[in-house]
Amino acid sequence: MTKPTLRIGLIGTGFMGKAHALGFTSAPRIFDLAFDLELHTVADVTAEAAARAQAGFGFAHATTRWQDIIEDPGIDLVSITAPNALHKEMALAAIRAGKHVYCEKPLAPLAADAREMAGAAEAAGVKTQVGFNYLCNPMLGLAREMIAAGELGEIRGYRGLHCEDYMADATSPFTFRHDPAGGGALADIGSHALATAEFLCGPITRVMGDCLTVIASRPDGKGGSRAVEVDDLGRAFLRFANGASGSIEGNWIATGRKMQHDFEIYGTKGALAFSQEHFNVLHYFNTADPRGRQGFRRIEAGPDHAPYGLFCVAAGHQLGFNDLKAIEVAGFVQAISGRTPEPFNFRKGLRIQTLVETIQTSSHEGRWLEVT
Amino acid sequence: MTKPTLRIGLIGTGFMGKAHALGFTSAPRIFDLAFDLELHTVADVTAEAAARAQAGFGFAHATTRWQDIIEDPGIDLVSITAPNALHKEMALAAIRAGKHVYCEKPLAPLAADAREMAGAAEAAGVKTQVGFNYLCNPMLGLAREMIAAGELGEIRGYRGLHCEDYMADATSPFTFRHDPAGGGALADIGSHALATAEFLCGPITRVMGDCLTVIASRPDGKGGSRAVEVDDLGRAFLRFANGASGSIEGNWIATGRKMQHDFEIYGTKGALAFSQEHFNVLHYFNTADPRGRQGFRRIEAGPDHAPYGLFCVAAGHQLGFNDLKAIEVAGFVQAISGRTPEPFNFRKGLRIQTLVETIQTSSHEGRWLEVT
Amino acid sequence: MTKPTLRIGLIGTGFMGKAHALGFTSAPRIFDLAFDLELHTVADVTAEAAARAQAGFGFAHATTRWQDIIEDPGIDLVSITAPNALHKEMALAAIRAGKHVYCEKPLAPLAADAREMAGAAEAAGVKTQVGFNYLCNPMLGLAREMIAAGELGEIRGYRGLHCEDYMADATSPFTFRHDPAGGGALADIGSHALATAEFLCGPITRVMGDCLTVIASRPDGKGGSRAVEVDDLGRAFLRFANGASGSIEGNWIATGRKMQHDFEIYGTKGALAFSQEHFNVLHYFNTADPRGRQGFRRIEAGPDHAPYGLFCVAAGHQLGFNDLKAIEVAGFVQAISGRTPEPFNFRKGLRIQTLVETIQTSSHEGRWLEVT
Amino acid sequence: MTKPTLRIGLIGTGFMGKAHALGFTSAPRIFDLAFDLELHTVADVTAEAAARAQAGFGFAHATTRWQDIIEDPGIDLVSITAPNALHKEMALAAIRAGKHVYCEKPLAPLAADAREMAGAAEAAGVKTQVGFNYLCNPMLGLAREMIAAGELGEIRGYRGLHCEDYMADATSPFTFRHDPAGGGALADIGSHALATAEFLCGPITRVMGDCLTVIASRPDGKGGSRAVEVDDLGRAFLRFANGASGSIEGNWIATGRKMQHDFEIYGTKGALAFSQEHFNVLHYFNTADPRGRQGFRRIEAGPDHAPYGLFCVAAGHQLGFNDLKAIEVAGFVQAISGRTPEPFNFRKGLRIQTLVETIQTSSHEGRWLEVT
């Protein structure tokens, strides 16, 4: 019995373009998807990059005009890994063309744009996905499942981080990530901390932000310097609809930290602790363990934590970053088939932008704000 | 050559009283102090407790009237480990009697009281010490020394915690720690996080607080329940005089956590990470390490980190909690001799109370406040 | 410019078959290989398994006769992931047909068989690869490079482990892994510890073995039980040609351990420590670090550690088990092109079998043996 | 009710002398001992050292003749922390004088001497103690208790280490620790690994040793060099009377390691892992934990693990090395009172020497030996 085919167009061939391509390649080999996937066309701004990606990733066609992908009626799904500022135009075009859209995070620099995109997708009835792939980790799935099942009891406190050091060097140049419209550490990586917080604990209702520019200017690449207006680190206090409180920090000048996407969550019956620097492990404290035998358990990801078992036969082997991307692809493809809901659609991507902007505004105004 | 003798009076014989007594006993055996220490009189509310402490700790005399210690002209130093609400009366009486005073933290429930105490001590010219003994850890000394020497470069970010779970059980009864005047997690253990933050990074100038009561009432021990008004967890955003920003959290309902007095500090040249759950270790990242060989170093406390070598001959042996208390005693005794400044006097204890109250007020008012 | 094509035949579609298929799929997308790879034919014993793998892994053809792959002149490379007992017959047939052979470990149950296979491959001039993929970890490459460059000075001691618990349950049935000819923990996973030891420190010259059967019999799957003769754990003392001594342990009844493929290596100038349970990290101690600042550094795998950067843009993202397999595939394909030597050919696979058997014999005889 | 007094004589005032003195001081303040302890006389070879210790440790008398302590009928207990070569003479003299003897490890350089000492003590009816204080750790007590109670099921495997780097520098001079009679890494620190192994798993019945001299000569302190005959690292395979097998390694040239006194123990129902570098923690794996929730639990020492609660009020505060010594002193004093058996008497000290020598002989002869 043959499956229908889903034809993929990919825009952008950098790190994330490669990660998408690998995801499209490995997902159907690891999961039993509803579709066969065909790598149809890849686009990049230079013919050389496009051709290299065509050959390297195994696409049938290459182009320097991303519009070719939009205009090709044979393409079903458009993956957007171009610079953030282009997400909106590309996604709206793809949606108008009736295609499903898989867009790297952030969905758009501004929540208003993201709202327009989410609305357009819903109106058009296409399926969408935003690339918050850390959520695809089976151990985050386990954490969410444990919380939902009440294994931690009532949630009382949350602390989330996403700290790295890739902008710690003051001599690293001004880039699109420093653009006043939508840039900054909170948007770039604090957004992951926010996504994880809501993934685990549900909606955030109020925030108090604290966003700072620490490195006031950066080289402009032309021998001069350019003032930076976006935050290098952004913190927030949080209130959740479930009654819990928490905090997050996004920080891209956290010297020495490479992937401190960490959280701790405290409940009346138990607690969880996690670090993305060792993302195949979840630490679990159970207050029901006998006295004198209590302690955080180091649970290693294994076949008990789906879909890990589709990748590796036993615990301890470990998934890697690109495996998370394959899980993300699989989830989106299954959603397109209608079997499952969209894992993280544009509406959810908008939600993250809304949280980011509310925190930024709160910081600017120095007061708590409702998240609307 | 004989040393002068410093005669000690101890008020309170619980866990902290014992820790003080052990400190007075071991400090002169480990350090070359300017004084011999004589355990003169111990006081507790019951004759039985006082007598047990007299015998157990090796005091010459016991009493049920703490005033006996104040009134005895032979006593030079009064250690106060009685309940927080009594600190002020006892300390002021001791100061008036011209005695040096070693008071457990918090110095007093309210900053106004602490201010009066600090002023009285300064006016009387006696030496004082507040028991923030985590600061006595050689690895915190190392961290402070590294920061002061510029080994981390300019400080850009700080994150401090003090989280435990000793109040996580909602059925544990209302105690003096829940008293509206001066109680709560921020005052009780968040104060440690604040003390460490200023110890390492210098003065905090502005704060934005977030303090919450999570367990609304607790058993009153008489079959009923009593409303709790103090915070179960308190968070704050911080600004330091050195230009850095940071955050702290004090949390006594942090399920599973026993001593999460942790910090991370990020500078332009390096970073430090620490956890009190493994307090003989400091993690250090040096950006000057060669590419491909960088990483947080796990520095084990050893004789290179004074005064560790006075306790143990080699790294890896490890100090314990009571050793920190011995270091605290030694520091105070040396300060009494005039050899060194007071390590953490009443003025500094007041400072912590001021920070706590400013954070609480900030939380209540929902806005940033200057620390004055 | 088009590349020549290497056509792949895969025998076996279980966990390892899937891992090979994924490796052949992702390697050319991640690495710039000398060949295009074509997934030509997959074989398994049942038509259903073969067809499922054909569709799932993306092979053009499927068969239930592995001989079809051997006999097809269009196939250049044969991947063997069938049960160990079949490796020899299949590999010799493939070699005779002039095909390159990629065989899962162990190369053969007995060293004598492995020797015949290695000799045949060399005589035929085909390239070979045995699947010791833990060696493909960039952090093991880093360790080897540091040792070779003298960064650790002279090597003085080595300790290697490979401990898991997949046979710890005495009620788990007798399998081919318990077969007297070639089974046992030392052969199955101790072999990894031996491979890593020689990968890092060079040839082992003498061994003293200690191999034990702990679970004397296991269910035979027919309601009875079957005596186990192979070891459940195997230890060895080692002497290396470089003058160092060491030890290894292979243990498949190590309750709670999932992937304790660990090592420590001590040199005159430094030391390394590693655990496969966190395989994107290498711990490095440098005796040249200044006093008071020394400690094991936790180096996170990153783009400085080739070929990590081809998979992920930054440190902290982490490779997974299947990425190691892609690196293994890439290394073999490049070797087939003649660009690089074979990373771990049949001669090296034979070497591991020789070490295993010498240790087993040494254990049986209770005395040190030369490794010949 | 007054207690009888036990008068202490201490021989030696170095690191271990200080540790003993601190133990005698703090033990009666922490434990409810059957005796009051009186620090009577301290002896060292120079008058200056003796006087300094008298004042520093709080002894009533000082002497340069250790025989004064033996000859003083008022002294009940003699603590010996002099160089190893003197242990025998001093201990036998003390025993002959009817005194209880507390001797630092190793009991004597040679088992024959230790045997004579143990026999003499038993004949004289005095109580003895050898200073294997790592065994006094509450977490080792917990481990032993769990094993004895069957919480791990049947024990199947053991792996113990004691590795440090204090002799890793080839330019560090020849000392008494390199003396052919009784020196070496196995005797000095491997002995701790052996003591822990038997403490947890019971008697070792057979051994196969592997002892090596790595640094062939060391500076003699007179401008020349002196050949080293003792081992720099000693390994052993072990068989236990309970049927389990295991291994240990003692290594004093383990670059970077400060206190790697570690063990793992695997049973049919659970496993334990421990490192002295973090000795307030025991890791415990319970196979009865539910699927998907299994993992090593990090148990923090606390009041549930006696006698921790006598030192600290709550988990996470942590004991230090000197606290272990206080526990050792308390155990010995209670044994002298007859309340409890001797925790680690000369007979047990002899046992360790016997194990060390059997391993050394086994290594020399290259064959397994029974431990007799």
Side-chain angles (χ1 to χ4, degrees):
Chain A
M1 197 189 71
T2 60
K3 294 175 179 177
T5 295
L6 203 65
R7 274 151 305 196
I8 316 290
L10 170 65
I11 307 175
T13 67
F15 167 56
M16 265 302 156
K18 187 173 182 176
H20 279 230
L22 290 171
F24 287 121
T25 304
S26 54
R29 287 161 174 82
I30 288 165
F31 293 87
D32 181 20
L33 300 181
F35 294 95
D36 286 331
L37 304 189
E38 182 185 319
L39 300 191
H40 190 284
T41 301
V42 60
D44 208 330
V45 285
T46 71
E48 189 191 348
R52 194 169 49 229
Q54 177 187 7
F57 304 161
F59 278 81
H61 311 285
T63 177
T64 57
R65 286 187 70 252
W66 60 266
Q67 293 86 348
D68 289 347
I69 287 174
I70 306 299
E71 295 161 8
D72 189 327
I75 290 177
D76 306 299
L77 185 164
V78 180
S79 244
I80 302 173
T81 70
N84 301 346
L86 303 174
H87 288 183
K88 182 182 174 186
E89 180 185 3
M90 291 171 171
L92 288 178
I95 289 165
R96 276 192 300 267
K99 301 185 194 305
H100 307 294
V101 187
Y102 179 14
C103 184
E104 255 319 298
K105 61 152 283 275
L107 181 51
L110 300 176
D113 297 319
R115 184 169 293 110
E116 188 180 340
M117 294 160 77
E122 288 160 4
V126 299
K127 298 293 170 72
T128 56
Q129 173 80 20
V130 189
F132 279 88
N133 52 293
Y134 298 131
L135 304 178
C136 298
N137 180 353
M139 299 318 267
L140 259 70
L142 172 62
R144 182 190 218 185
E145 180 187 309
M146 292 174 76
I147 293 165
E151 292 186 46
L152 303 191
E154 196 180 314
I155 302 306
R156 285 173 168 177
Y158 184 85
R159 197 164 58 240
L161 303 174
H162 194 124
C163 302
E164 304 194 22
D165 66 358
Y166 58 102
M167 293 293 181
D169 182 353
T171 68
S172 74
F174 194 100
T175 72
F176 74 89
R177 293 179 198 276
H178 302 97
D179 192 275
L186 185 70
D188 202 34
I189 54 176
S191 54
H192 285 298
L194 290 164
T196 296
E198 290 210 330
F199 181 78
L200 296 174
C201 296
I204 293 166
T205 55
R206 299 180 70 224
V207 297
M208 170 73 212
D210 181 27
C211 302
L212 297 96
T213 306
V214 176
I215 299 175
S217 69
R218 291 183 179 270
D220 63 3
K222 303 164 194 163
S225 72
R226 185 164 165 189
V228 175
E229 295 170 37
V230 301
D231 59 276
D232 289 309
L233 62 86
R235 305 179 183 94
F237 301 141
L238 310 174
R239 290 294 180 278
F240 294 91
N242 70 6
S245 72
S247 67
I248 58 101
E249 177 176 339
N251 184 337
W252 65 20
I253 56 168
T255 305
R257 290 299 173 195
K258 304 305 173 190
M259 188 52 80
Q260 195 178 28
H261 179 89
D262 295 3
F263 66 80
E264 294 207 17
I265 177 162
Y266 307 116
T268 49
K269 296 183 179 172
L272 297 174
F274 172 83
S275 174
Q276 184 73 17
E277 289 190 357
H278 200 172
F279 75 73
N280 287 270
V281 167
L282 182 67
H283 299 272
Y284 166 44
F285 187 93
N286 184 353
T287 61
D289 281 342
R291 282 188 59 164
R293 304 290 182 276
Q294 297 191 340
F296 275 90
R297 281 179 216 172
R298 179 189 146 122
I299 304 175
E300 302 254 1
D304 290 329
H305 314 110
Y308 177 98
L310 298 177
F311 290 84
C312 296
V313 74
H317 285 66
Q318 297 163 56
L319 304 188
F321 175 83
N322 288 315
D323 296 325
L324 301 186
K325 215 69 193 171
I327 297 172
E328 189 172 71
V329 163
F332 186 38
V333 169
Q334 296 304 75
I336 289 172
S337 80
R339 291 189 188 175
T340 51
E342 294 156 295
F344 205 92
N345 61 18
F346 279 15
R347 184 62 54 186
K348 289 187 180 166
L350 160 63
R351 172 72 184 171
I352 301 302
Q353 289 307 105
T354 302
L355 287 166
V356 165
E357 292 185 14
T358 310
I359 290 168
Q360 289 168 333
T361 305
S362 162
S363 173
H364 185 68
E365 301 184 356
R367 62 188 184 97
W368 283 84
L369 291 179
E370 305 290 318
V371 182
T372 52
Chain B
M1 196 191 71
T2 60
K3 294 175 180 178
T5 295
L6 203 64
R7 275 152 304 196
I8 316 289
L10 170 65
I11 307 175
T13 67
F15 166 58
M16 266 302 157
K18 187 174 182 176
H20 278 229
L22 290 171
F24 288 121
T25 305
S26 55
R29 288 161 174 83
I30 288 166
F31 293 87
D32 181 20
L33 300 180
F35 293 94
D36 286 330
L37 304 189
E38 182 185 320
L39 300 190
H40 190 285
T41 301
V42 61
D44 207 329
V45 284
T46 71
E48 190 192 347
R52 194 170 47 229
Q54 177 187 9
F57 305 162
F59 278 81
H61 311 284
T63 177
T64 58
R65 284 187 71 252
W66 60 266
Q67 293 86 348
D68 288 349
I69 287 175
I70 306 300
E71 295 160 8
D72 190 326
I75 291 177
D76 305 299
L77 184 165
V78 180
S79 243
I80 302 173
T81 71
N84 301 346
L86 302 174
H87 288 183
K88 181 182 175 187
E89 180 184 2
M90 292 171 172
L92 289 178
I95 289 165
R96 277 193 299 267
K99 300 183 193 308
H100 307 294
V101 187
Y102 177 14
C103 184
E104 255 318 298
K105 60 149 285 273
L107 181 50
L110 300 176
D113 297 319
R115 184 169 294 111
E116 188 179 340
M117 295 159 76
E122 288 160 5
V126 299
K127 298 293 170 73
T128 56
Q129 172 80 21
V130 190
F132 279 89
N133 52 291
Y134 299 130
L135 303 179
C136 299
N137 179 353
M139 299 319 267
L140 259 69
L142 172 62
R144 184 189 216 184
E145 180 187 308
M146 291 175 75
I147 293 166
E151 293 187 44
L152 303 191
E154 195 181 317
I155 301 307
R156 285 173 168 176
Y158 185 83
R159 197 163 58 240
L161 302 174
H162 194 124
C163 302
E164 304 194 21
D165 67 358
Y166 59 103
M167 292 293 181
D169 183 352
T171 69
S172 75
F174 194 101
T175 72
F176 74 89
R177 293 179 198 276
H178 302 97
D179 192 274
L186 185 70
D188 202 35
I189 53 176
S191 54
H192 285 298
L194 290 164
T196 297
E198 289 210 331
F199 181 78
L200 296 174
C201 296
I204 293 166
T205 55
R206 299 180 70 224
V207 297
M208 170 72 213
D210 181 26
C211 302
L212 297 97
T213 306
V214 176
I215 299 174
S217 69
R218 292 182 179 269
D220 65 3
K222 304 163 193 163
S225 71
R226 188 166 164 189
V228 175
E229 295 170 37
V230 301
D231 60 276
D232 290 308
L233 61 85
R235 305 180 183 94
F237 302 141
L238 310 175
R239 291 295 180 279
F240 293 91
N242 70 5
S245 73
S247 69
I248 59 101
E249 176 176 340
N251 184 337
W252 65 21
I253 57 168
T255 304
R257 291 299 173 196
K258 305 305 173 190
M259 188 52 80
Q260 196 178 27
H261 179 90
D262 296 3
F263 66 80
E264 294 207 16
I265 178 163
Y266 306 116
T268 49
K269 295 183 180 172
L272 297 175
F274 173 83
S275 174
Q276 185 73 16
E277 288 191 357
H278 200 172
F279 75 73
N280 287 270
V281 166
L282 182 67
H283 298 272
Y284 166 44
F285 187 94
N286 183 352
T287 62
D289 281 341
R291 281 189 61 164
R293 304 291 182 274
Q294 297 191 341
F296 275 90
R297 281 180 217 173
R298 179 189 145 120
I299 304 175
E300 303 254 0
D304 290 328
H305 313 110
Y308 177 98
L310 296 178
F311 290 85
C312 297
V313 73
H317 284 66
Q318 297 163 55
L319 303 189
F321 175 84
N322 288 315
D323 296 325
L324 302 185
K325 215 69 194 171
I327 297 172
E328 189 172 71
V329 163
F332 186 38
V333 169
Q334 297 303 74
I336 290 172
S337 79
R339 290 189 189 174
T340 51
E342 294 155 296
F344 205 91
N345 60 17
F346 278 15
R347 183 63 53 186
K348 289 187 180 165
L350 161 63
R351 172 72 183 170
I352 301 301
Q353 289 306 106
T354 302
L355 287 166
V356 166
E357 291 186 14
T358 310
I359 290 168
Q360 288 168 333
T361 305
S362 161
S363 172
H364 185 69
E365 301 184 356
R367 63 190 184 95
W368 285 84
L369 291 178
E370 305 291 317
V371 182
T372 54
Chain C
M1 194 190 72
T2 61
K3 294 175 180 178
T5 296
L6 204 64
R7 274 150 305 194
I8 315 290
L10 170 66
I11 307 175
T13 67
F15 167 57
M16 266 302 157
K18 186 173 182 175
H20 278 230
L22 290 172
F24 287 121
T25 305
S26 55
R29 287 161 174 82
I30 289 165
F31 293 88
D32 180 20
L33 300 181
F35 293 96
D36 285 330
L37 304 189
E38 181 185 322
L39 300 192
H40 191 284
T41 301
V42 61
D44 206 329
V45 283
T46 71
E48 190 192 347
R52 194 169 47 230
Q54 178 187 7
F57 304 161
F59 278 82
H61 311 285
T63 178
T64 58
R65 286 186 70 250
W66 60 266
Q67 293 87 348
D68 288 348
I69 286 174
I70 307 299
E71 294 161 9
D72 189 328
I75 290 177
D76 305 298
L77 184 164
V78 180
S79 244
I80 302 173
T81 69
N84 300 347
L86 301 174
H87 288 182
K88 181 183 175 186
E89 181 185 3
M90 291 171 172
L92 289 179
I95 290 166
R96 275 193 301 268
K99 299 182 194 308
H100 306 295
V101 187
Y102 178 14
C103 185
E104 255 318 297
K105 63 151 283 271
L107 182 51
L110 300 175
D113 296 320
R115 185 168 293 109
E116 189 179 338
M117 294 159 76
E122 287 160 4
V126 298
K127 299 294 170 72
T128 56
Q129 173 80 20
V130 189
F132 278 89
N133 52 292
Y134 298 131
L135 304 178
C136 299
N137 180 353
M139 300 318 267
L140 259 70
L142 172 63
R144 184 190 215 183
E145 179 188 309
M146 291 174 76
I147 294 166
E151 292 186 44
L152 303 192
E154 197 180 314
I155 302 305
R156 284 171 168 180
Y158 185 85
R159 198 165 58 241
L161 302 174
H162 194 123
C163 301
E164 304 193 22
D165 66 358
Y166 59 102
M167 293 293 181
D169 182 353
T171 69
S172 76
F174 194 101
T175 72
F176 75 89
R177 293 180 198 275
H178 302 98
D179 191 275
L186 186 69
D188 202 34
I189 53 176
S191 54
H192 284 298
L194 291 163
T196 297
E198 289 210 331
F199 180 78
L200 295 174
C201 296
I204 293 166
T205 55
R206 300 180 68 223
V207 296
M208 170 73 211
D210 181 27
C211 302
L212 296 97
T213 307
V214 175
I215 299 173
S217 69
R218 290 182 179 269
D220 63 4
K222 303 163 192 161
S225 72
R226 187 165 165 189
V228 175
E229 295 169 37
V230 300
D231 60 275
D232 289 309
L233 63 86
R235 304 180 183 92
F237 301 142
L238 309 175
R239 291 295 180 279
F240 293 91
N242 70 5
S245 73
S247 68
I248 59 100
E249 177 176 339
N251 184 339
W252 66 21
I253 56 167
T255 304
R257 290 300 173 196
K258 304 306 172 190
M259 189 52 81
Q260 196 178 28
H261 178 90
D262 295 3
F263 65 80
E264 293 206 17
I265 178 162
Y266 307 117
T268 49
K269 295 183 180 172
L272 297 175
F274 173 84
S275 174
Q276 184 73 20
E277 289 191 357
H278 201 171
F279 76 72
N280 286 271
V281 167
L282 182 67
H283 298 273
Y284 166 45
F285 187 94
N286 182 354
T287 62
D289 281 341
R291 281 188 61 164
R293 303 292 181 275
Q294 297 192 342
F296 275 90
R297 278 180 220 174
R298 177 189 146 120
I299 304 175
E300 301 254 1
D304 290 328
H305 313 111
Y308 177 98
L310 297 178
F311 291 84
C312 297
V313 73
H317 285 66
Q318 298 164 54
L319 303 188
F321 176 83
N322 288 315
D323 295 325
L324 302 185
K325 216 67 195 173
I327 297 173
E328 189 172 73
V329 163
F332 186 38
V333 169
Q334 297 303 72
I336 289 172
S337 79
R339 291 189 188 173
T340 52
E342 294 155 295
F344 205 91
N345 62 17
F346 279 15
R347 183 62 56 186
K348 289 187 179 167
L350 161 63
R351 172 69 183 173
I352 301 302
Q353 289 306 106
T354 302
L355 287 166
V356 166
E357 291 185 15
T358 309
I359 290 169
Q360 289 168 334
T361 304
S362 162
S363 173
H364 186 70
E365 300 184 358
R367 63 190 183 94
W368 284 84
L369 290 179
E370 306 289 320
V371 181
T372 53
Chain D
M1 196 191 71
T2 61
K3 294 175 179 177
T5 295
L6 204 64
R7 274 151 305 194
I8 315 290
L10 170 65
I11 308 175
T13 68
F15 166 58
M16 266 302 157
K18 185 173 183 176
H20 278 231
L22 290 172
F24 286 121
T25 305
S26 55
R29 286 161 174 83
I30 288 166
F31 293 87
D32 180 20
L33 300 181
F35 293 96
D36 285 331
L37 303 189
E38 182 185 320
L39 301 191
H40 191 286
T41 301
V42 60
D44 207 330
V45 284
T46 71
E48 189 192 348
R52 193 170 47 228
Q54 178 187 6
F57 304 161
F59 278 82
H61 311 283
T63 177
T64 58
R65 285 187 70 251
W66 60 265
Q67 293 88 347
D68 288 347
I69 286 174
I70 307 299
E71 294 161 9
D72 190 328
I75 290 178
D76 305 298
L77 185 165
V78 180
S79 243
I80 302 173
T81 69
N84 301 347
L86 302 174
H87 287 183
K88 182 182 175 186
E89 180 185 2
M90 292 171 172
L92 288 178
I95 290 166
R96 276 193 300 268
K99 300 183 194 308
H100 307 295
V101 187
Y102 179 14
C103 184
E104 254 319 296
K105 62 150 284 269
L107 182 51
L110 300 176
D113 296 321
R115 184 169 293 110
E116 189 179 338
M117 294 160 77
E122 287 159 5
V126 299
K127 299 293 171 71
T128 55
Q129 173 80 20
V130 189
F132 278 90
N133 53 292
Y134 299 130
L135 304 178
C136 298
N137 180 353
M139 299 319 267
L140 259 69
L142 172 63
R144 185 191 216 182
E145 180 187 309
M146 291 174 75
I147 294 166
E151 292 186 45
L152 303 191
E154 197 180 314
I155 302 306
R156 284 173 167 176
Y158 185 85
R159 198 163 59 240
L161 302 174
H162 194 123
C163 302
E164 303 193 24
D165 67 358
Y166 58 102
M167 293 292 182
D169 182 354
T171 68
S172 75
F174 194 101
T175 72
F176 74 90
R177 294 179 198 275
H178 302 97
D179 192 274
L186 185 69
D188 202 34
I189 54 175
S191 54
H192 284 299
L194 291 164
T196 297
E198 289 209 332
F199 181 78
L200 296 173
C201 297
I204 293 166
T205 55
R206 301 180 68 223
V207 296
M208 170 72 212
D210 181 28
C211 302
L212 297 98
T213 307
V214 175
I215 299 173
S217 68
R218 290 182 180 270
D220 64 4
K222 304 164 193 161
S225 71
R226 186 164 164 190
V228 175
E229 295 170 38
V230 301
D231 60 275
D232 289 309
L233 62 86
R235 303 180 185 95
F237 301 142
L238 309 175
R239 291 295 179 280
F240 293 91
N242 70 5
S245 73
S247 68
I248 59 101
E249 177 175 339
N251 184 338
W252 66 20
I253 55 168
T255 305
R257 290 300 173 195
K258 304 306 173 189
M259 188 51 80
Q260 196 177 29
H261 179 90
D262 295 3
F263 65 80
E264 293 207 15
I265 178 162
Y266 307 117
T268 49
K269 295 182 180 172
L272 297 175
F274 173 83
S275 174
Q276 185 72 19
E277 289 191 356
H278 200 170
F279 76 72
N280 286 271
V281 167
L282 181 68
H283 298 273
Y284 165 45
F285 188 94
N286 183 354
T287 61
D289 280 342
R291 281 189 60 164
R293 303 293 182 274
Q294 298 192 340
F296 275 90
R297 279 180 220 174
R298 176 189 147 119
I299 304 174
E300 302 254 1
D304 290 328
H305 314 111
Y308 177 97
L310 297 177
F311 290 85
C312 297
V313 74
H317 285 66
Q318 298 164 55
L319 303 189
F321 176 83
N322 287 316
D323 295 325
L324 302 185
K325 216 67 193 172
I327 298 172
E328 189 172 72
V329 163
F332 186 38
V333 169
Q334 295 304 71
I336 290 172
S337 79
R339 289 189 189 173
T340 52
E342 294 155 295
F344 205 91
N345 62 17
F346 279 15
R347 182 63 56 187
K348 289 187 180 168
L350 160 63
R351 172 70 184 173
I352 301 302
Q353 288 307 105
T354 302
L355 287 166
V356 166
E357 291 186 14
T358 310
I359 290 169
Q360 288 168 333
T361 305
S362 163
S363 172
H364 186 69
E365 300 184 358
R367 64 190 183 94
W368 284 84
L369 290 179
E370 306 289 319
V371 181
T372 54

